[in-house]
PDB file of all heavy atoms in Angstrom:
ATOM      1  N   ILE A  63       8.274  -5.532  13.487  1.00 95.00           N
ATOM      2  CA  ILE A  63       9.006  -5.128  14.740  1.00 95.00           C
ATOM      3  C   ILE A  63       8.833  -6.228  15.770  1.00 95.00           C
ATOM      4  O   ILE A  63       7.746  -6.742  15.932  1.00 95.00           O
ATOM      5  CB  ILE A  63       8.386  -3.797  15.255  1.00 95.00           C
ATOM      6  CG1 ILE A  63       8.682  -2.660  14.340  1.00 95.00           C
ATOM      7  CG2 ILE A  63       8.915  -3.549  16.667  1.00 95.00           C
ATOM      8  CD1 ILE A  63       8.002  -1.305  14.779  1.00 95.00           C
ATOM      9  N   TYR A  88      10.069  -8.169   3.179  1.00 84.00           N
ATOM     10  CA  TYR A  88      11.036  -7.196   3.738  1.00 84.00           C
ATOM     11  C   TYR A  88      12.245  -7.198   2.808  1.00 84.00           C
ATOM     12  O   TYR A  88      12.449  -8.117   1.968  1.00 84.00           O
ATOM     13  CB  TYR A  88      11.419  -7.531   5.150  1.00 84.00           C
ATOM     14  CG  TYR A  88      12.121  -8.831   5.288  1.00 84.00           C
ATOM     15  CD1 TYR A  88      13.547  -8.889   5.472  1.00 84.00           C
ATOM     16  CD2 TYR A  88      11.439 -10.039   5.209  1.00 84.00           C
ATOM     17  CE1 TYR A  88      14.195 -10.069   5.525  1.00 84.00           C
ATOM     18  CE2 TYR A  88      12.148 -11.272   5.301  1.00 84.00           C
ATOM     19  CZ  TYR A  88      13.494 -11.285   5.462  1.00 84.00           C
ATOM     20  OH  TYR A  88      14.157 -12.490   5.498  1.00 84.00           O
ATOM     21  N   ALA A  91      17.146  -6.335   7.401  1.00 96.00           N
ATOM     22  CA  ALA A  91      16.783  -6.631   8.822  1.00 96.00           C
ATOM     23  C   ALA A  91      17.845  -6.161   9.743  1.00 96.00           C
ATOM     24  O   ALA A  91      19.017  -6.074   9.342  1.00 96.00           O
ATOM     25  CB  ALA A  91      16.578  -8.147   8.950  1.00 96.00           C
ATOM     26  N   THR A 135      10.493   2.383   2.220  1.00 79.00           N
ATOM     27  CA  THR A 135       9.640   3.411   1.679  1.00 79.00           C
ATOM     28  C   THR A 135      10.385   4.655   1.308  1.00 79.00           C
ATOM     29  O   THR A 135      10.096   5.345   0.365  1.00 79.00           O
ATOM     30  CB  THR A 135       8.499   3.800   2.676  1.00 79.00           C
ATOM     31  OG1 THR A 135       9.110   4.278   3.876  1.00 79.00           O
ATOM     32  CG2 THR A 135       7.543   2.693   2.934  1.00 79.00           C
ATOM     33  N   HIS A 147      17.997   2.694  13.705  1.00 98.00           N
ATOM     34  CA  HIS A 147      18.776   3.943  13.453  1.00 98.00           C
ATOM     35  C   HIS A 147      19.106   4.504  14.773  1.00 98.00           C
ATOM     36  O   HIS A 147      18.306   4.433  15.736  1.00 98.00           O
ATOM     37  CB  HIS A 147      18.000   4.912  12.607  1.00 98.00           C
ATOM     38  CG  HIS A 147      17.725   4.391  11.223  1.00 98.00           C
ATOM     39  ND1 HIS A 147      18.716   4.213  10.312  1.00 98.00           N
ATOM     40  CD2 HIS A 147      16.593   3.907  10.695  1.00 98.00           C
ATOM     41  CE1 HIS A 147      18.190   3.733   9.199  1.00 98.00           C
ATOM     42  NE2 HIS A 147      16.886   3.530   9.429  1.00 98.00           N
ATOM     43  N   VAL A 156      16.155   3.621  17.323  1.00 98.00           N
ATOM     44  CA  VAL A 156      14.781   3.611  17.011  1.00 98.00           C
ATOM     45  C   VAL A 156      14.529   2.601  15.890  1.00 98.00           C
ATOM     46  O   VAL A 156      15.377   2.411  14.982  1.00 98.00           O
ATOM     47  CB  VAL A 156      14.319   5.012  16.587  1.00 98.00           C
ATOM     48  CG1 VAL A 156      14.880   5.468  15.261  1.00 98.00           C
ATOM     49  CG2 VAL A 156      12.814   5.186  16.556  1.00 98.00           C
ATOM     50  N   HIS A 158      11.065   1.776  13.257  1.00 95.00           N
ATOM     51  CA  HIS A 158       9.819   2.458  12.927  1.00 95.00           C
ATOM     52  C   HIS A 158       9.127   1.780  11.751  1.00 95.00           C
ATOM     53  O   HIS A 158       9.763   1.381  10.748  1.00 95.00           O
ATOM     54  CB  HIS A 158      10.155   3.931  12.517  1.00 95.00           C
ATOM     55  CG  HIS A 158       9.087   4.681  11.807  1.00 95.00           C
ATOM     56  ND1 HIS A 158       9.349   5.412  10.662  1.00 95.00           N
ATOM     57  CD2 HIS A 158       7.777   4.785  12.000  1.00 95.00           C
ATOM     58  CE1 HIS A 158       8.244   5.951  10.215  1.00 95.00           C
ATOM     59  NE2 HIS A 158       7.293   5.618  10.997  1.00 95.00           N
ATOM     60  N   ALA A 191      17.282  11.933  21.318  1.00 97.00           N
ATOM     61  CA  ALA A 191      18.563  12.203  21.986  1.00 97.00           C
ATOM     62  C   ALA A 191      18.660  13.659  22.384  1.00 97.00           C
ATOM     63  O   ALA A 191      19.113  14.004  23.445  1.00 97.00           O
ATOM     64  CB  ALA A 191      19.667  11.836  21.006  1.00 97.00           C
ATOM     65  N   GLY A 215       1.999  11.751  10.573  1.00 88.00           N
ATOM     66  CA  GLY A 215       2.107  10.558   9.674  1.00 88.00           C
ATOM     67  C   GLY A 215       1.623   9.315  10.306  1.00 88.00           C
ATOM     68  O   GLY A 215       0.839   9.371  11.243  1.00 88.00           O
ATOM     69  N   VAL A 254       0.951  -9.992  16.075  1.00 82.00           N
ATOM     70  CA  VAL A 254       0.897 -11.091  17.069  1.00 82.00           C
ATOM     71  C   VAL A 254       1.735 -12.272  16.691  1.00 82.00           C
ATOM     72  O   VAL A 254       2.168 -13.032  17.517  1.00 82.00           O
ATOM     73  CB  VAL A 254      -0.491 -11.555  17.420  1.00 82.00           C
ATOM     74  CG1 VAL A 254      -1.198 -10.574  18.366  1.00 82.00           C
ATOM     75  CG2 VAL A 254      -1.341 -11.814  16.215  1.00 82.00           C
ATOM     76  N   LEU A 268      -3.920   1.658  20.906  1.00 91.00           N
ATOM     77  CA  LEU A 268      -4.826   2.409  20.027  1.00 91.00           C
ATOM     78  C   LEU A 268      -4.066   3.655  19.564  1.00 91.00           C
ATOM     79  O   LEU A 268      -3.049   4.018  20.147  1.00 91.00           O
ATOM     80  CB  LEU A 268      -6.086   2.829  20.811  1.00 91.00           C
ATOM     81  CG  LEU A 268      -6.801   1.615  21.503  1.00 91.00           C
ATOM     82  CD1 LEU A 268      -8.036   2.096  22.238  1.00 91.00           C
ATOM     83  CD2 LEU A 268      -7.181   0.572  20.446  1.00 91.00           C
ATOM     84  N   ILE A 275       7.663  -0.294  28.381  1.00 98.00           N
ATOM     85  CA  ILE A 275       7.722  -1.715  28.623  1.00 98.00           C
ATOM     86  C   ILE A 275       9.018  -2.016  29.346  1.00 98.00           C
ATOM     87  O   ILE A 275      10.147  -1.688  28.938  1.00 98.00           O
ATOM     88  CB  ILE A 275       7.764  -2.422  27.234  1.00 98.00           C
ATOM     89  CG1 ILE A 275       6.527  -2.003  26.394  1.00 98.00           C
ATOM     90  CG2 ILE A 275       7.758  -3.987  27.365  1.00 98.00           C
ATOM     91  CD1 ILE A 275       6.704  -2.284  24.926  1.00 98.00           C
ATOM     92  N   VAL A 324      -4.157   2.880   0.764  1.00 97.00           N
ATOM     93  CA  VAL A 324      -4.506   4.108   0.052  1.00 97.00           C
ATOM     94  C   VAL A 324      -4.113   5.319   0.860  1.00 97.00           C
ATOM     95  O   VAL A 324      -3.552   6.323   0.301  1.00 97.00           O
ATOM     96  CB  VAL A 324      -5.978   4.095  -0.357  1.00 97.00           C
ATOM     97  CG1 VAL A 324      -6.445   5.469  -0.836  1.00 97.00           C
ATOM     98  CG2 VAL A 324      -6.254   3.053  -1.496  1.00 97.00           C
ATOM     99  N   GLY A 339       5.112  30.162  -0.498  1.00 74.00           N
ATOM    100  CA  GLY A 339       4.217  30.129  -1.626  1.00 74.00           C
ATOM    101  C   GLY A 339       3.208  28.976  -1.471  1.00 74.00           C
ATOM    102  O   GLY A 339       3.250  28.303  -0.416  1.00 74.00           O
ATOM    103  N   MET A 374      -5.259   2.450 -17.339  1.00 98.00           N
ATOM    104  CA  MET A 374      -6.384   2.985 -18.104  1.00 98.00           C
ATOM    105  C   MET A 374      -7.109   4.121 -17.380  1.00 98.00           C
ATOM    106  O   MET A 374      -7.611   5.047 -17.950  1.00 98.00           O
ATOM    107  CB  MET A 374      -7.357   1.820 -18.465  1.00 98.00           C
ATOM    108  CG  MET A 374      -6.777   0.853 -19.386  1.00 98.00           C
ATOM    109  SD  MET A 374      -7.829  -0.639 -19.540  1.00 98.00           S
ATOM    110  CE  MET A 374      -9.213   0.000 -20.450  1.00 98.00           C
ATOM    111  N   THR A 472      -4.065   1.211  -5.003  1.00 98.00           N
ATOM    112  CA  THR A 472      -3.012   2.250  -4.776  1.00 98.00           C
ATOM    113  C   THR A 472      -2.454   2.758  -6.111  1.00 98.00           C
ATOM    114  O   THR A 472      -2.009   3.887  -6.230  1.00 98.00           O
ATOM    115  CB  THR A 472      -1.906   1.784  -3.805  1.00 98.00           C
ATOM    116  OG1 THR A 472      -1.366   0.590  -4.354  1.00 98.00           O
ATOM    117  CG2 THR A 472      -2.437   1.512  -2.436  1.00 98.00           C
ATOM    118  N   LEU A 484       1.177  16.329 -13.463  1.00 96.00           N
ATOM    119  CA  LEU A 484       1.402  16.864 -14.818  1.00 96.00           C
ATOM    120  C   LEU A 484       0.599  18.176 -15.061  1.00 96.00           C
ATOM    121  O   LEU A 484       1.091  19.077 -15.720  1.00 96.00           O
ATOM    122  CB  LEU A 484       1.091  15.786 -15.873  1.00 96.00           C
ATOM    123  CG  LEU A 484       2.021  14.611 -15.856  1.00 96.00           C
ATOM    124  CD1 LEU A 484       1.524  13.514 -16.842  1.00 96.00           C
ATOM    125  CD2 LEU A 484       3.429  15.002 -16.250  1.00 96.00           C
ATOM    126  N   HIS A 539     -16.229   4.406 -19.556  1.00 97.00           N
ATOM    127  CA  HIS A 539     -15.334   5.434 -18.945  1.00 97.00           C
ATOM    128  C   HIS A 539     -14.543   4.728 -17.847  1.00 97.00           C
ATOM    129  O   HIS A 539     -13.954   3.659 -18.102  1.00 97.00           O
ATOM    130  CB  HIS A 539     -16.246   6.610 -18.470  1.00 97.00           C
ATOM    131  CG  HIS A 539     -15.427   7.771 -18.016  1.00 97.00           C
ATOM    132  ND1 HIS A 539     -15.401   8.150 -16.673  1.00 97.00           N
ATOM    133  CD2 HIS A 539     -14.664   8.649 -18.686  1.00 97.00           C
ATOM    134  CE1 HIS A 539     -14.602   9.229 -16.584  1.00 97.00           C
ATOM    135  NE2 HIS A 539     -14.181   9.534 -17.804  1.00 97.00           N
ATOM    136  N   ALA A 611     -25.668  -5.056 -10.707  1.00 98.00           N
ATOM    137  CA  ALA A 611     -25.208  -3.736 -10.995  1.00 98.00           C
ATOM    138  C   ALA A 611     -24.455  -3.148  -9.772  1.00 98.00           C
ATOM    139  O   ALA A 611     -24.824  -3.381  -8.643  1.00 98.00           O
ATOM    140  CB  ALA A 611     -26.351  -2.782 -11.380  1.00 98.00           C
ATOM    141  N   PRO A 635     -15.129  10.927  -3.781  1.00 92.00           N
ATOM    142  CA  PRO A 635     -14.738  12.379  -3.847  1.00 92.00           C
ATOM    143  C   PRO A 635     -14.817  12.880  -5.318  1.00 92.00           C
ATOM    144  O   PRO A 635     -15.028  14.056  -5.495  1.00 92.00           O
ATOM    145  CB  PRO A 635     -13.340  12.399  -3.341  1.00 92.00           C
ATOM    146  CG  PRO A 635     -12.895  11.008  -3.125  1.00 92.00           C
ATOM    147  CD  PRO A 635     -14.062  10.127  -3.181  1.00 92.00           C
ATOM    148  N   ALA A 656     -14.171 -18.178  -5.546  1.00 98.00           N
ATOM    149  CA  ALA A 656     -13.026 -19.130  -5.544  1.00 98.00           C
ATOM    150  C   ALA A 656     -12.983 -19.966  -4.292  1.00 98.00           C
ATOM    151  O   ALA A 656     -12.766 -21.140  -4.352  1.00 98.00           O
ATOM    152  CB  ALA A 656     -11.751 -18.344  -5.737  1.00 98.00           C
TER     153      ALA A 656
END
Side-chain angles (χ1 to χ4, degrees):
I63 292 175
Y88 64 102
T135 58
H147 297 289
V156 70
H158 164 227
V254 281
L268 306 180
I275 305 163
V324 166
M374 293 169 71
T472 54
L484 291 174
H539 190 248

